[in-house]
Amino acid sequence: MKVLKVKVPATTANLGAGFDTLGLALTLYNEFIVEEHDGVVIETEPKNEFLEIPENNLFIQVIKYACERRGKTFHGAKLKQINRVPVARGLGSSATAIVGAIVVSSAVSKTELTDDIFFDIAYRFEPHPDNLIPAWKGGFITALKDREKTYYNSIDFPEDIKAVVVIPEFELSTEKARSVLPERIPLRDGIFNVQRVSLFLSALQNRRYDLLRVAMEDRFHQPYRKKLIPNFDRVVQNGYDAGALGVSLSGAGSAILALADRNFEEIGKAMTEGFSEAGIRSEYKILDIDR
Ligand code: HSE
């Protein structure tokens, strides 16, 4: 019996000013091991009873939809799901399940996975290409979702920069983190962000790491979302004091991302201390870019 195994990376979106635009894949993976089976059997590691119920399991829901979309009946699967990407922390855990299921369903049906098929299925379950595309393709991408089409492109990411991701104990849903955003942004804030995201991309290209701090400032989402993250400013400041090149909320949060080329442990520790001061437990992970 055929066993398929797929490993999908965590992702961090936005990177400051690139709200709903930039996404980066990280070397932290969820794994999905799938076997043909009559009926659905799910085993999770670490054990998560909620996800072992097929109706709650996003991977199974996406596989089912992907089969139906191809005009086939879904008869079941035996799934072993190894979860390493923390849920609802702005690290693209849902995107891992969606991408994994789409890739597996294409392999099973032996059909080419085109962009059109990918986005048609993926957007039924989550609307964020800045997580979905790096989870699918790896690396660093810029994405643009138009009404009819999604455009994206890969960008080189410097080899010597790592991501220090500080993950607080509390979850924050993307829905909640988007509900605090304003409907309208003043033109001056639009200019502020366009200038910074352009500076960010050029600073990475030319290795002008001294520019990353100002380039990761943002007025589109973090000023609003930080109210949902206790001690956000302190955690960010601690990251910079310990030598981070740039610090931002990871995706919609609650995790905070620091980009750094040295002092990785010191940055992780200083930022977790920032959370501790607010009585929040957190852990940090030092990750490379999944390429
Ligand atoms: N760019 C999206 C947001 C990512 O920040 O809301 C959601 O994971």
Side-chain angles (χ1 to χ4, degrees), residues 62-135:
V62 178
I63 287 255
K64 193 164 176 268
Y65 175 77
C67 280
E68 284 161 7
R69 192 189 166 282
R70 291 191 173 96
K72 301 215 167 87
T73 312
F74 174 70
H75 294 293
K78 197 180 220 180
L79 167 68
K80 178 165 182 191
Q81 183 168 337
I82 304 171
N83 288 319
R84 300 193 188 93
V85 181
V87 174
R89 304 299 205 290
L91 290 166
S93 70
S94 313
T96 69
I98 297 166
V99 169
I102 297 175
V103 169
V104 165
S105 68
S106 292
V108 169
S109 63
K110 297 189 176 67
T111 47
E112 190 198 348
L113 181 51
T114 61
D115 284 8
D116 283 348
I117 294 174
F118 177 83
F119 292 114
D120 184 45
I121 302 171
Y123 288 153
R124 302 267 159 173
F125 297 92
E126 111 143 54
H128 304 296
D130 47 348
N131 284 125
L132 291 166
I133 302 169

Side-chain angles (χ1 to χ4, degrees), residues 6-288:
V6 59
K7 231 171 102 176
V8 189
T11 49
T12 182
N14 305 329
L15 296 112
F19 178 61
D20 278 359
T21 303
L22 299 178
L24 185 63
L26 302 172
T27 52
L28 177 69
Y29 302 91
N30 281 348
E31 282 181 49
F32 306 90
I33 301 149
V34 191
E35 257 179 84
E36 287 169 42
H37 193 75
D38 266 341
V40 178
V41 179
I42 306 169
E43 184 193 339
T44 49
E45 197 184 298
K47 179 95 175 149
N48 180 326
E49 281 175 14
F50 180 82
L51 289 180
E52 292 189 356
I53 298 168
E55 290 70 30
N56 300 335
N57 189 292
L58 186 55
F59 185 95
I60 294 294
Q61 294 308 311
V62 178
I63 287 255
K64 193 164 176 268
Y65 175 77
C67 280
E68 284 161 7
R69 192 189 166 282
R70 291 191 173 96
K72 301 215 167 87
T73 312
F74 174 70
H75 294 293
K78 197 180 220 180
L79 167 68
K80 178 165 182 191
Q81 183 168 337
I82 304 171
N83 288 319
R84 300 193 188 93
V85 181
V87 174
R89 304 299 205 290
L91 290 166
S93 70
S94 313
T96 69
I98 297 166
V99 169
I102 297 175
V103 169
V104 165
S105 68
S106 292
V108 169
S109 63
K110 297 189 176 67
T111 47
E112 190 198 348
L113 181 51
T114 61
D115 284 8
D116 283 348
I117 294 174
F118 177 83
F119 292 114
D120 184 45
I121 302 171
Y123 288 153
R124 302 267 159 173
F125 297 92
E126 111 143 54
H128 304 296
D130 47 348
N131 284 125
L132 291 166
I133 302 169
W136 181 27
K137 301 282 181 182
F140 182 40
I141 61 94
T142 181
L144 181 167
K145 181 179 161 202
D146 209 1
R147 256 161 302 191
E148 300 295 326
K149 196 168 160 55
T150 297
Y151 301 86
Y152 61 92
N153 204 2
S154 296
I155 311 166
D156 285 341
F157 199 89
E159 299 278 345
D160 55 341
I161 295 187
K162 288 185 195 291
V164 182
V165 181
V166 183
I167 306 157
E169 61 186 328
F170 66 92
E171 297 186 0
L172 178 58
S173 72
T174 301
E175 200 184 3
K176 171 104 190 271
R178 290 187 87 88
S179 74
V180 298
L181 302 181
E183 280 281 307
R184 290 171 185 276
I185 296 278
L187 177 63
R188 63 176 178 279
D189 290 352
I191 294 167
F192 183 100
N193 268 47
V194 170
Q195 290 176 334
R196 276 158 184 77
V197 81
S198 308
L199 192 69
F200 181 70
L201 296 176
S202 65
L204 291 178
Q205 190 182 15
N206 302 338
R207 311 293 195 262
R208 281 287 311 276
Y209 298 159
D210 58 306
L211 297 175
L212 290 178
R213 182 169 183 167
V214 71
M216 286 177 76
E217 291 172 343
D218 148 69
R219 287 194 185 158
F220 281 179
H221 65 115
Q222 293 176 134
Y224 309 99
R225 288 175 162 173
K226 72 181 189 182
K227 297 167 201 134
L228 305 171
I229 320 279
N231 247 12
F232 177 82
D233 286 332
R234 187 57 189 262
V235 177
V236 170
Q237 187 59 49
N238 282 4
Y240 283 122
D241 290 349
L245 298 168
V247 184
S248 68
L249 194 60
S250 179
S254 56
I256 301 184
L257 163 79
L259 297 180
D261 63 350
R262 66 198 69 196
N263 295 3
F264 310 111
E265 295 286 349
E266 291 85 343
I267 292 166
K269 281 183 193 140
M271 291 172 71
T272 54
E273 276 161 26
F275 272 126
S276 300
E277 282 172 23
I280 306 279
R281 275 196 301 265
S282 62
E283 58 163 344
Y284 66 88
K285 292 186 191 294
I286 299 167
L287 303 169
D288 280 308

